[in-house]
Amino acid sequence: MSVYETIYKRRTIRKFKQEVIPMEKLKRLVDAARVAPQGGNMQALKYVVINEGKLLEQVFKTITWAGYIRPAGDPKEGEKPTAYILILGDTEIKKEGFDIDAGAAVQNILLAAVEEGLGTAWLGAIDRLKIRGFLNIPDKFVLHTLVALGFPDEVPVIVDTDKCIKYYKDDKGVLHVPKRKLENILFFNNHIN
Ligand SMILES: Cc1cc2nc3c(=O)[nH]c(=O)nc-3n(C[C@H](O)[C@H](O)[C@H](O)COP(=O)(O)O)c2cc1C
């Protein structure tokens, strides 16, 4: 699969097969994050793999899924993620400003996951306080975001849009993800509007 094919194939997945993800796959994803570009090459991000039954359920309860279509976009019983990778910022390495570094690192995870046959959802609407509590995360770490993972059990599709960017499910339950058209986001030289 080419890089472009991978980029277009990757969609946020919120419906997963209930198959265990081999630990080697999860390690390879974190290794892909490890070599992402990082400001000042500081590499202040750390990664927690969560794949143990009770913790999976606890993490699941902290997530707000698919805000535009709640609750239709929530994974149901038998569709939940089978692993998570929690992204932490280590404040002993740098105090703040983890967003751009996390963007680069997490995108590596999301794209590498496609090659591994996995689906992902990058999640920001999570209850960080609760997660810190039940995972016993020391204060020196900022809880950045979470990546949900599993073997995908849905195939969302991209649709071009001029206006509404809200994703929706059609009458067959297929998730449609509007993306603004290239002509609406690309400018050349000083022809900007
Ligand atoms: C920083 C960030 C935070 C996100 N947080 C959530 C979230 O909390 N819950 C959720 O269901 N999806 C979340 N998403 C997924 C977006 O809804 C999704 O990327 C968007 O709808 C476009 O779909 P696509 O990823 O298939 O292109 C998040 C995405 C990003 C980049």
Side-chain angles (χ1 to χ4, degrees):
M1 206 183 314
S2 77
V3 174
Y4 277 112
E5 284 168 339
T6 308
I7 287 169
Y8 288 106
K9 187 169 178 193
R10 183 213 62 81
R11 297 272 61 77
T12 295
I13 298 297
R14 300 184 182 86
K15 210 172 160 182
F16 301 95
K17 293 179 183 154
Q18 299 306 287
E19 287 171 30
V20 172
I21 304 174
M23 184 52 82
E24 281 314 307
K25 278 187 188 283
L26 295 168
K27 282 188 185 169
R28 280 198 292 270
L29 297 186
V30 175
D31 206 52
R34 182 178 71 87
V35 298
Q38 299 282 280
N41 204 24
M42 298 285 281
Q43 302 166 63
L45 300 174
K46 304 283 166 70
Y47 306 86
V48 184
V49 169
I50 299 142
N51 66 348
E52 185 267 313
K54 184 167 173 249
L55 289 175
L56 284 177
E57 197 50 39
Q58 281 179 298
V59 172
F60 183 81
K61 287 183 183 151
T62 72
I63 298 165
T64 304
W65 296 91
Y68 293 137
I69 54 170
R70 291 185 71 196
D74 294 16
K76 313 288 177 288
E77 273 321 315
E79 301 175 354
K80 294 179 180 178
T82 52
Y84 297 95
I85 298 174
L86 178 65
I87 319 299
L88 301 178
D90 186 340
T91 63
E92 284 184 350
I93 298 177
K94 75 174 189 178
K95 286 284 160 241
E96 59 185 6
F98 299 106
D99 287 350
I100 300 175
D101 290 338
V106 171
Q107 187 70 2
N108 274 11
I109 292 177
L110 306 186
L111 294 177
V114 174
E115 189 169 318
E116 296 284 358
L118 293 167
T120 55
W122 190 4
L123 304 165
I126 52 176
D127 188 331
R128 291 171 175 75
L129 209 60
K130 279 197 183 139
I131 295 174
R132 186 183 293 283
F134 61 70
L135 291 182
N136 300 311
I137 296 172
D139 290 344
K140 70 171 186 169
F141 293 113
V142 170
L143 270 79
H144 191 269
T145 43
L146 186 68
V147 179
L149 300 120
F151 291 95
D153 203 12
E154 66 170 338
V155 185
V157 294
I158 292 178
V159 287
D160 281 359
T161 184
D162 284 327
K163 34 188 197 299
C164 185
I165 48 71
K166 294 185 178 176
Y167 44 81
Y168 58 92
K169 287 198 172 186
D170 66 16
D171 50 14
K172 295 193 176 75
V174 176
L175 181 65
H176 291 244
V177 184
K179 298 287 183 186
R180 296 189 204 281
K181 291 179 182 168
L182 187 62
E183 68 215 46
N184 293 340
I185 61 159
L186 172 64
F187 307 107
F188 291 100
N189 302 312
N190 57 354
H191 303 280
I192 306 161
N193 58 51

